[in-house]
Amino acid sequence: MRVAVVSDIHANLAALEAVLAAIDAEPPDELWCLGDLVGYNARPNECCALVEERAAICLAGNHDLAVAERLPLGEFSGDAGAAARWTRGVLDDASRALLGRIQPEGEREGVGLFHGSARDPIWEYVLSDDAAEATLDLSGKQLVLVGHSHAALVAQERDGALGGGLAPDGTELDLAAGRALLNPGSVGQPRDGDPRAAWLALDLDARRATFHRVEYDVERTQREIREAGLPATLAARLEHGI
Ligand code: ZN
């Protein structure tokens, strides 16, 4: 089975459309989404509709839960809180229903899926080998996928030791080499220094993973943010990937 994995779309429709176009160039068997469909950017309903139509499984991220009133807005500060409050006001019924039922953890084809981590599926950022090891141990899986940090990352076990780091565009991995935790990076608000939209291709039969980045129309998303009256810093950060 071939799978395309996306995460942290954050209502960036231009980025999601670019990623889906790249994925469709060689259509996988399934699309998986690791959560945070909304928040930060200005096209939440369109992104929810596309993900609902296309994804075989979709997790809930912390922003999704806040917008769906399953988490208090008080847990979000600054721009994140402002965007979550704005999103609550524009969300349509179908998107509200979707965000009301998705969960922050799941499993598909034997792969462990978490928005954050196995220890804390909603909030923990897996950014160290120790955190990656804890999630691999707790999940009991050979392969775990997480989102939330907005950085494309790999942590893989080789000869009993876990190691890894950032996974730039084109990084390929032999999943048969050892237990692995992967973060595909963010579609809609990358924070790993590469402003291009991120996605991950998995071939579960060949045991291969490939990290991808795609150019998209950043200016279109920035314009949408300005027109919505969302904080200007949310527009500015997109061109730097921070
Ligand atoms: Zn996010």
Side-chain angles (χ1 to χ4, degrees):
M1 169 177 285
R2 290 174 51 253
V3 180
V5 187
V6 296
S7 191
D8 297 279
I9 296 161
H10 285 297
N12 187 337
L13 182 60
L16 179 59
E17 287 175 347
V19 164
L20 291 176
I23 288 170
D24 286 345
E26 218 181 314
D29 298 298
E30 290 190 348
L31 176 72
W32 299 353
C33 175
L34 304 178
D36 272 356
L37 285 67
V38 302
Y40 295 128
N41 302 299
R43 289 291 179 270
N45 294 317
E46 295 89 335
C47 290
C48 285
L50 270 175
V51 169
E52 183 164 32
E53 179 192 324
R54 305 271 310 239
I57 185 167
C58 178
L59 304 185
N62 48 315
H63 290 257
D64 302 323
L65 295 170
V67 167
E69 303 185 36
R70 298 162 69 188
L71 275 181
L73 273 186
E75 303 204 24
F76 289 77
S77 58
D79 294 347
R85 200 166 299 112
W86 176 88
T87 305
R88 277 185 178 182
V90 301
L91 208 64
D92 64 23
D93 289 345
S95 302
R96 188 168 287 112
L98 173 67
L99 301 185
R101 69 170 175 268
I102 52 181
Q103 298 299 324
E105 60 186 303
E107 181 187 333
R108 192 138 178 117
E109 300 291 324
V111 180
L113 309 173
F114 304 93
H115 180 68
S117 75
R119 289 194 291 211
D120 184 344
I122 299 174
W123 289 108
E124 186 184 11
Y125 293 94
V126 179
L127 291 168
S128 68
D129 291 342
D130 283 350
E133 187 155 32
T135 275
L136 284 166
D137 287 347
L138 206 57
S139 70
K141 303 293 185 198
Q142 279 291 115
L143 178 61
V144 169
L145 307 176
V146 302
H148 193 45
S149 71
H150 298 208
L153 294 168
V154 52
Q156 188 169 33
E157 206 165 55
R158 285 175 191 265
D159 305 321
L162 205 67
L166 286 177
D169 187 27
T171 299
E172 286 196 41
L173 224 59
D174 175 9
L175 297 173
R179 292 193 304 168
L181 176 144
L182 313 180
N183 186 324
S186 170
V187 171
Q189 194 197 73
R191 295 179 194 159
D192 53 11
D194 184 342
R196 295 176 297 173
W199 67 283
L200 173 70
L202 289 180
D203 186 326
L204 297 176
D205 304 312
R207 307 297 292 163
R208 309 250 353 137
T210 310
F211 289 82
H212 295 282
R213 299 307 270 260
V214 184
E215 303 262 9
Y216 74 96
D217 188 349
V218 175
E219 286 177 19
R220 174 181 147 198
T221 299
Q222 292 176 319
R223 200 164 52 241
E224 292 166 353
I225 289 171
R226 280 194 298 273
E227 286 169 2
L230 287 163
T233 44
L234 292 175
R237 65 187 301 172
L238 291 177
E239 61 196 73
H240 305 294
I242 55 169

